[in-house]
Amino acid sequence: MAKNAQKKTLKAQNMTQLAIFASGAGSNADKIMDYFKDSDRIKVALIVCNKPGAGVLEIAKKWGIEAILIEKQGFFSEKSCILALKQHKIDFIVLAGFLWKVPEVLVAAYPQRIINIHPALLPKYGGKGMYGDKVHAAVIAAGEAESGITIHYVNEHYDEGNIIFQAKCPIEVGDTPADLATKIHALEHAHFAKVVEGLLV
Ligand code: GAR
């Protein structure tokens, strides 16, 4: 084996391999892949997506990272997702705009090794159906003066696992859900990859 290839293989053996589950535009996935692109400790090895045509699939292509599309039946009833994760030697799972509830079988297969980002200050404004602009609209309608992001471990209940990290931003009078989404994305992009790194290195 050529020296460089050998070096690469050795490097890969010591790496923590991440899978990012995402089904939206994928801006968080993009930031995470950028952050770890030269890392010799953490590698984004797989994108798991449940939405054909989602922006994150193009982003995976841009970074040359394999993406798999899953469908609900297989994800819930069989262990096909777990098999795929094991095949790709995935150690840790990051949910970045993934809206399905993670099935118990997957939580059990990756105990304390699945984290999610939520675009509000949990425990408020979480749960089934609370995602993206719906969250921001609810926060603004409630007259909150601030919102933020929560990164938390995933358990079998929506948005209820132990909180790892939160960061806040102010809400100004007249802010729309789109304005708040911009502030929240900025917080996510600034913190998410660093929090992942802090958990793994
Ligand atoms: C992010 O704001 C994330 O917090 C949110 O979806 C967005 C995905 O953006 N997740 C949820 O609402 C989960 N309940 P992205 O596709 O640009 O990374």
Side-chain angles (χ1 to χ4, degrees):
M1 194 189 285
K3 242 186 183 169
N4 264 355
Q6 208 171 8
K7 239 185 182 174
K8 260 191 175 170
T9 313
L10 281 175
K11 218 168 132 186
Q13 281 168 358
N14 297 323
M15 291 240 183
T16 298
Q17 303 245 113
L18 296 188
I20 300 177
F21 283 37
S23 41
S27 70
N28 279 288
D30 191 38
K31 290 286 170 196
I32 293 169
M33 289 189 264
D34 189 33
Y35 190 84
F36 292 121
K37 64 178 185 291
D38 296 322
S39 172
D40 55 6
R41 302 293 301 274
I42 295 172
K43 180 182 174 196
V44 179
L46 186 67
I47 299 293
V48 176
C49 177
N50 67 319
K51 203 167 162 203
V56 70
L57 295 171
E58 280 308 310
I59 286 169
K61 230 185 245 169
K62 176 181 97 177
W63 288 102
I65 290 170
E66 188 177 340
I68 55 172
L69 257 183
I70 55 172
E71 43 84 32
K72 214 162 202 167
Q73 197 63 16
F75 190 57
F76 285 119
S77 62
E78 297 158 31
K79 294 189 176 173
S80 62
C81 184
I82 292 173
L83 284 177
L85 294 169
K86 297 287 179 198
Q87 263 167 13
H88 286 84
K89 301 197 174 358
I90 298 302
D91 304 300
F92 198 85
I93 298 170
V94 174
L95 310 187
F98 186 75
L99 307 182
W100 288 352
K101 194 167 157 217
V102 174
E104 272 178 44
V105 66
L106 186 49
V107 176
Y110 284 86
Q112 296 290 89
R113 284 184 292 142
I114 310 178
I115 64 169
N116 177 46
I117 193 159
H118 185 77
L121 296 169
L122 292 174
K124 288 168 100 177
Y125 307 107
K128 192 169 161 51
M130 287 300 261
Y131 58 86
D133 277 358
K134 290 191 182 182
V135 178
H136 307 316
V139 169
I140 289 170
E144 298 282 2
E146 60 183 14
S147 188
I149 62 169
T150 303
I151 299 169
H152 64 95
Y153 287 107
V154 169
N155 65 16
E156 59 282 3
H157 306 291
Y158 268 116
D159 301 329
E160 284 186 18
N162 287 341
I163 292 175
I164 300 161
F165 176 88
Q166 291 187 307
K168 292 178 180 175
C169 60
I171 300 174
E172 316 296 341
V173 175
D175 270 357
T176 63
D179 296 328
L180 185 50
T182 302
K183 293 181 189 179
I184 294 290
H185 264 123
L187 283 180
E188 293 182 332
H189 297 165
H191 294 290
F192 202 7
K194 285 185 188 158
V195 170
V196 171
E197 186 177 41
L199 290 172
L200 297 177
V201 174

